[in-house]
Amino acid sequence: MTTARSIIPLLNRLISRSQPSRSVTYMHRPGDGSPRPVTLIPGDGVGPLVTDAVEQVMEAMHAPVYFEKFEVHGTMKKFPEEVLDSIRKNKVCIKGGLATPMGGGVNSLNVYLRKELDLYASLVNCFNMRGLPTRHENVDIVVIRENTEGEYAGLEHEVVPGVVESLKFCSERIASYAFEYAYLNNRKKVTAVHKANIMKLADGLFLEACREVAQKYPAIQYNEIIVDNCCMQLVSKPEQFDVMVTPNLYGNLVANTAAGICGGTGVMPGGNVGAEHAVFEQGASAGNVGKDSIVAQKTANPVALLLSSAMMLRHLQFPAFADRLETAVQKVILQAKVRTKDLGGSSTTQEVVDAVIDALD
């Protein structure tokens, strides 16, 4: 027997479906719809596959961007000057991974690019995606990592044969960026990750900077955690974290761990930003070049870079295009019909791209 009480939930659902889902309108400035140039670096390994995915989806959406493409490879001795000039002019770049040779005194071009453009903040968003089962739920972590200082600054030299000295320094600006991000994105908590119990001066300076900035944001909860305890807490109770701010080396480890908790590096977006420029790429560095077998079989997961390109669109103040792209990717993940091997499927990169394009509103 149908009662008024049983009908009310049904009516509420019907009303909610009939109401427009569009948010308050975005009022652009005159001329904002003009296509914007973006520097594109396909990179090494799976990079050309996933950057091609971005190009296809942008074209399908008629997004107001066009790409200036350059060939850069991690085996090059230096970053081509014409590529740096393009990024300086365009202010925005999207790239695949660049392979970094192990040892031998060869510098990473990824690190060189960040230092040359002063991209001092790395941001990786690790979150649960609907339809992608993981061990933990309600995870939505933003890891903000210092990009140009700390161990990755490369300030090291051989004092005498067999003795190498490495310098580590820290400034306040990464703490400022993390709290500003939390404030602008309605985040409730910032956690500083450190090892000041051992490195009392270097990491102690990092904590001093975080504490000083935290006082300017009384509405945001601030706490601190030692990096080894942080790793344990990440794999046991990751939902407790919100925004995490870290020095360079710790952030690389924390971001890749958080990505693994939420479905893997193939689905986590990210980028690097400074005062003048922004470079978007796969969020977590593990697997951003990929294995030769994945390249040969063309089965690289393009989701991470597609979501990074949505971050790029929002950075360029094209929020509606960013929303469309994110929604399409989420639909494909939720439907679970088209997935690459790392997500338990057998689809190719192109099949995922086609599914995302078909899902665009």
Side-chain angles (χ1 to χ4, degrees):
M1 176 175 154
T2 303
T3 65
R5 180 171 294 180
S6 65
I7 291 175
I8 289 175
L10 176 61
L11 290 176
N12 287 336
R13 287 197 297 270
L14 291 173
I15 292 171
S16 64
R17 289 175 183 173
S18 66
Q19 291 173 340
S21 59
R22 190 185 302 275
S23 58
V24 175
T25 188
Y26 168 67
M27 187 174 73
H28 71 286
R29 296 167 300 185
D32 274 357
S34 301
R36 294 282 300 275
V38 173
T39 306
L40 174 66
I41 302 173
D44 297 315
V46 301
L49 285 172
V50 294
T51 53
D52 178 67
V54 171
E55 289 186 273
Q56 290 186 57
V57 173
M58 292 294 166
E59 183 178 358
M61 288 199 304
H62 304 289
V65 298
Y66 63 93
F67 296 106
E68 297 178 0
K69 188 186 299 187
F70 295 91
E71 288 295 324
V72 182
H73 300 286
T75 53
M76 292 179 172
K77 293 184 178 179
K78 60 180 295 187
F79 217 97
E81 196 62 37
E82 62 270 21
V83 184
L84 292 173
D85 289 341
S86 173
I87 301 174
R88 291 189 183 106
K89 172 178 65 74
N90 297 334
K91 308 294 184 183
V92 175
C93 170
I94 189 162
K95 63 183 281 292
L98 298 174
T100 300
M102 299 294 180
V106 179
N107 292 326
S108 166
L109 292 188
N110 295 298
V111 173
Y112 177 85
L113 179 63
R114 297 165 194 161
K115 292 175 67 177
E116 185 68 20
L117 299 176
D118 197 23
L119 305 170
Y120 67 86
S122 165
L123 187 150
V124 181
N125 190 189
C126 302
F127 56 95
N128 291 127
M129 301 186 72
R130 291 177 59 210
L132 188 61
T134 59
R135 183 182 297 271
H136 301 280
E137 297 180 353
N138 303 315
V139 179
D140 185 7
I141 301 171
V142 174
V143 181
I144 295 178
R145 157 195 170 200
E146 211 299 316
N147 237 357
T148 57
E149 300 172 355
E151 294 84 356
Y152 283 29
L155 299 176
E156 55 184 13
H157 62 279
E158 189 173 40
V159 181
V160 295
V163 178
V164 175
E165 183 179 49
S166 179
L167 301 179
K168 179 176 179 177
F169 68 99
C170 172
S171 65
E172 184 185 279
R173 59 184 185 172
I174 193 62
S176 297
Y177 184 84
F179 276 92
E180 185 177 50
Y181 173 88
Y183 170 67
L184 293 174
N185 289 274
N186 195 30
R187 294 279 181 157
K188 307 303 182 186
K189 181 169 65 174
V190 173
T191 301
V193 182
H194 67 94
K195 191 64 177 174
N197 58 322
I198 302 299
M199 287 179 276
K200 299 182 183 298
L201 295 180
D203 282 21
L205 181 62
F206 168 71
L207 288 184
E208 286 180 18
C210 290
R211 291 166 185 169
E212 184 176 338
V213 175
Q215 294 177 1
K216 303 175 184 177
Y217 295 87
I220 297 174
Q221 181 185 348
Y222 170 67
N223 61 0
E224 301 167 357
I225 188 169
I226 297 173
V227 63
D228 35 355
N229 183 31
C230 172
C231 292
M232 184 189 71
Q233 295 292 332
L234 267 176
V235 298
S236 57
K237 295 187 292 184
E239 64 279 357
Q240 68 182 287
F241 296 108
D242 191 355
V243 175
M244 307 176 76
V245 58
T246 79
N248 207 321
L249 178 60
Y250 311 152
N252 196 13
L253 305 176
V254 167
N256 281 278
T257 302
I261 290 167
C262 296
T265 58
V267 293
M268 298 301 138
N272 312 278
V273 67
E276 299 291 334
H277 312 93
V279 175
F280 296 88
E281 57 188 337
Q282 177 178 304
S285 59
N288 64 350
V289 173
K291 299 178 180 178
D292 292 341
S293 59
I294 297 177
V295 178
Q297 297 167 10
K298 299 183 178 180
T299 55
N301 190 345
V303 168
L305 201 65
L306 288 174
L307 292 176
S308 296
S309 68
M311 287 175 58
M312 178 192 74
L313 289 170
R314 197 163 281 116
H315 178 80
L316 290 169
Q317 297 185 357
F318 299 136
F321 287 93
D323 291 345
R324 287 179 62 203
L325 177 50
E326 287 179 353
T327 300
V329 170
Q330 290 166 358
K331 283 182 181 178
V332 172
I333 295 294
L334 182 60
Q335 291 169 354
K337 296 178 181 178
V338 181
R339 290 185 178 178
T340 48
K341 186 176 180 180
D342 60 312
L343 300 183
S346 59
S347 302
T348 63
T349 306
Q350 189 58 53
E351 288 170 341
V352 176
V353 173
D354 292 340
V356 170
I357 291 174
D358 289 342
L360 288 169
D361 289 332

